[in-house]
Amino acid sequence: MTKFSIEMLPAKHGDALWIEYADGDRTRRISIDGGPIQAYEAFEACMARLPDDDKRVELLVISHVDTDHIEGMIRMMARPRGSWPISPADIWFNGYRHIGPRDDLGGREGEMISALIHARVDQSWNKAFHGEAVVVEAGTALPQVTLAGGMTLTLLSPDREKLDRLAVKWKDNLKKFTMTVGDLEEAWRQLAALPRFKLDQESTLGSEDIGEALRELLKGQDGSDANGSSIAFLARCNGKSCLFLADAHIDLINESLAKLVAKEGRQLKVDAVKVSHHGSKNNLDARFFDLVDAKHYLISTNGDQHEHPDKPAMEAIIAGSKRKPVLWFNYRSDHTLPYEEQSKLAGARFTTRYPREGKEGIVIRL
Ligand SMILES: [Zn+2]
């Protein structure tokens, strides 16, 4: 049995991560993000593998409101509660009710998923945080949560400042959709009007095209402040560990990691890092490599839309890593394959892993 495995599902330009960890003979699971709507089929197929008598997922995380992370989750939760392919014990998502003064909040997808969580599983919303925000509070220790089976999560991001910045952007975004903050009924109405989410339909497999006009509308979020609000954490279990960084900002990640390092030693040694923001050069810096010593670097993207990963970010990993790093990609694409060739050159300081020819998605067993 795998002690700790991470599946990077083929989530196009987004993230959809499926984690399994051993608890004795039992397998426990964490689901982080659902990718954009175009990747929903792969996410659904992954969930459909669960045995009929065990659909339990210890934790479901919606890291932030950007469409490449949230749409698949909206689609899954739009199914009638009784036919969800998974049964999450806790759901971490920072919605309007968590982010500060009610009047200052918004964000269309954020409102939609809020309406769904509220209607379907309100009692499980941010349960480990007693229904409050999933947030690192200034001047306090990093929140630590232990899931069933001994998986320990140490929260690194977001903090209040990042959430406040998001709040302003959400409010702007809602104006475009004639929605008001906290009006979950209106959010529900708009959700129901979007056929791609198939609200309350039982059968969900099978994709359909989203019109260009709608696709344009979905780009409403300001990436930067939304990314900054990402829920990111260190996960440790069975002597293995991984940093799940979503699309988090590196300044806050470093600040949180420095707190851990101050407590635990000169450097934080982890097995793996799910690299922030699909390997963008804007979400990594040299300080990160002073704080962290990792072997495996996971990059989730097919390179669509933003041409991730950025070469400078890959070079930073190769140059900054103390150990010879392994770069893991969930797609063989024009944007990821050049690293395979380079890794085979004499004197290359890194190795690479890809899906097999013709395949998408990859599993990392720690
Ligand atoms: Zn993203």
Side-chain angles (χ1 to χ4, degrees):
M1 175 178 289
T2 309
K3 287 178 175 176
F4 188 155
S5 70
I6 303 151
E7 181 166 5
M8 282 198 289
L9 293 163
K12 310 288 180 185
H13 56 291
D15 275 8
L17 307 171
W18 186 260
I19 294 131
E20 295 191 345
Y21 60 99
D23 173 13
D25 290 339
R26 179 172 180 169
T27 298
R28 295 191 183 269
R29 314 160 185 116
I30 299 172
S31 174
I32 304 177
D33 292 335
I37 195 73
Q38 302 93 325
Y40 183 69
E41 204 163 329
F43 181 37
E44 170 101 4
C46 170
M47 294 184 286
R49 294 186 314 223
L50 297 190
D52 285 341
D53 61 347
D54 180 18
K55 302 283 187 194
R56 184 181 164 98
V57 168
E58 299 308 320
L59 174 64
L60 186 152
V61 180
I62 300 151
S63 69
H64 65 295
V65 295
D66 276 345
T67 52
D68 60 317
H69 297 252
I70 200 173
E71 282 188 334
M73 287 293 185
I74 296 178
R75 175 85 138 76
M76 190 275 287
M77 289 187 178
R79 295 176 64 159
R81 176 67 188 95
S83 74
W84 282 16
I86 56 175
S87 177
D90 193 355
I91 297 170
W92 291 4
F93 172 67
N94 285 321
Y96 72 93
R97 61 165 79 164
H98 305 104
I99 309 188
R102 270 177 101 104
D103 290 354
D104 270 356
L105 299 171
R108 185 172 74 150
E109 283 73 26
E111 291 288 321
M112 285 177 175
I113 203 137
S114 295
L116 286 166
I117 300 174
H118 178 65
R120 313 271 209 232
V121 279
D122 200 50
Q123 72 291 348
S124 300
W125 196 349
N126 292 354
K127 199 152 91 182
F129 292 80
H130 310 290
E132 305 286 326
V134 178
V135 66
V136 177
E137 298 285 7
T140 63
L142 300 173
Q144 209 169 71
V145 173
T146 302
L147 304 178
M151 172 67 82
T152 303
L153 308 180
T154 306
L155 191 71
L156 305 172
S157 167
D159 63 5
R160 284 283 169 194
E161 197 188 318
K162 302 283 190 197
L163 291 183
D164 288 348
R165 285 173 164 279
L166 174 69
V168 177
K169 288 286 167 6
W170 272 24
K171 193 179 174 190
D172 287 350
N173 178 260
L174 274 198
K175 283 183 202 149
K176 277 193 286 186
F177 301 107
T178 54
M179 272 171 131
T180 51
V181 169
D183 184 353
L184 297 187
E185 281 180 29
E186 176 59 21
W188 191 274
R189 266 194 299 276
Q190 294 201 19
L191 170 66
L194 293 173
R196 69 181 170 284
F197 292 126
K198 297 181 185 289
L199 184 65
D200 281 329
Q201 292 177 34
E202 297 273 352
S203 165
T204 62
L205 273 178
S207 57
E208 77 275 3
D209 205 32
I210 302 177
E212 262 322 298
L214 270 176
R215 214 185 291 273
E216 269 317 299
L217 287 177
L218 286 171
K219 287 180 187 161
Q221 307 286 352
D222 175 307
S224 159
D225 285 333
N227 287 348
S229 77
S230 285
I231 294 174
F233 48 81
L234 164 65
R236 295 198 256 211
C237 189
N238 295 324
K240 303 290 179 183
S241 55
C242 182
L243 287 167
F244 291 99
L245 300 184
D247 287 1
H249 289 173
I250 200 68
D251 59 346
L252 177 57
I253 292 299
N254 286 342
E255 195 184 313
S256 294
L257 288 172
K259 289 182 195 167
L260 274 183
V261 168
K263 225 169 61 180
E264 299 188 9
R266 272 187 52 241
Q267 251 191 345
L268 182 73
K269 197 163 181 172
V270 294
D271 295 293
V273 178
K274 201 299 289 183
V275 176
S276 178
H277 197 197
H278 323 286
S280 164
K281 62 180 186 293
N282 300 321
N283 300 65
L284 261 184
D285 66 4
R287 188 174 177 222
F288 178 79
F289 296 98
D290 290 338
L291 293 163
V292 173
D293 176 9
K295 177 73 181 169
H296 302 281
Y297 291 84
L298 285 45
I299 294 118
S300 174
T301 185
N302 63 358
D304 278 1
Q305 301 209 12
H306 305 290
E307 305 193 345
H308 291 142
D310 289 331
K311 197 157 172 265
M314 299 302 97
E315 285 171 352
I317 291 170
I318 295 161
S321 183
K322 273 102 214 149
R323 289 175 271 173
K324 189 177 177 179
V326 186
L327 306 183
W328 294 77
F329 299 96
N330 60 342
Y331 280 93
R332 309 179 64 86
S333 80
D334 291 347
H335 299 281
T336 63
L337 280 175
Y339 301 101
E340 183 176 46
E341 285 164 39
Q342 290 165 31
S343 73
K344 287 175 180 160
L345 299 176
R349 285 201 55 251
F350 68 105
T351 56
T352 53
R353 297 280 188 284
Y354 293 84
R356 274 175 303 160
E357 294 275 0
K359 299 280 180 197
E360 297 174 341
I362 198 162
V363 181
I364 301 95
R365 292 185 176 81
L366 300 179

